[in-house]
Amino acid sequence: MSLPKKRKIESGGGGVGGEGGGGEGAEQEDGGEREVARPRRPWCRRQERDQQYYECYSDISVHEEMLADRIRTEAYRLGIMRNGAALRGKTVLDVGAGTGILSIFCVQAGARRVYAVEASAIWQQAREVVRLNGLEDRVHVLPGQVETVELPEQVDVIVSEWMGYGLLHESMLSSVLHARAKWLKEGGLLLPASAELFLAPVSDPTLEQRLGFWAHVKQLYDVDMSCLEAFATRCLMGPSEIVLQDLCGEDVLARPQRVAHLDLARAGLEQELQAGVAGRFRFSCYGSAAMHGFAFWFQVTFPGGDSGKPLVLSTSPFHPVTHWKQALLYLNEPVQVEQDTAISGEITLLPCSHNHRLLRVQLSYKVGDEEEKAKDFSMEDGQWLLSQQLPPEEEARLSR
């Protein structure tokens, strides 16, 4: 579940507010500080930020993009249908039901009753969809947050499309885990049941073309602007923003590694999300290329159910593109790698301290014989108005 997000390139060394982009100034890889001119935003309570988040899902464009993603929606349909034996005659909770399509899939698979919980105003349209399909007696649309909605009974199954960009942007998994603890019967089924996060060093051909443009201006207009390539590099690679990009397998410079595995039934997973989902990595490069950064992506797995074969929904650059694409973490400048160049380090994903809906990534890495470097990133989304900076004392009060 992800809001449409347009790639935004800033013309300075800025970044995202809060810890994700550095507080008073984000450290550069050389240890210096990059000054960040950041306008102060209105202070806002956590509940108000959540409400702004839910309001974004009241717009039809968000749901159009998700439903138009055939890879995503068909995977959910098949994952639900394959577990028909577990759903037949049972009760289901759909967390973040949106327009209600997953709830209807569950009924088609044999569920006796589905509680479709939706916090945004789109619940009204979901109820219309349910009525149009003649399922009012089996799908009960409940407006409100799953943390506050009361169900008349515990459920046998929880289904949710909770994944944000880079897997954890939006922090919706926490809502699913809350629902699991409160409403799922012991031994109940979670759809999907697990998630995995993958990382790889990459070369971005789109970025390479943009950086190389300045060397070709003279051929176009007989004016030499090659001196601007360094400035373009700072503008395009310097900001600490997580960039969404559609890559392909040829852009991956080493064998991808799994850096995290989330079993949604695991006790203590909520605390792990708050502390940070972390993993170490070590790569050996395939050959000579300009490395622009790292890409990370995810896959979720549905139990095999009736077929016995688990179903995987992947957002890998080696698979057909989804609306999630891949999440890129740019270095401050390209690094040339060769055959067998060693790359190692650690990545941590956690919510931003000033806004739990925004994803923060801490990255430390070492390429070849270069010294170890570090860079912090965070996801930025101008549609949300969610990145209000709170003063430390207010943030501390609200987090208690």
Side-chain angles (χ1 to χ4, degrees), residues 39 203 280 374:
S203 180
R280 297 199 63 83

Side-chain angles (χ1 to χ4, degrees), residues 17 21 140-141 196 227 248 347 373:
H140 297 185
V141 179
E196 296 166 280
C227 61
C248 63
I347 185 172
K373 300 176 182 178

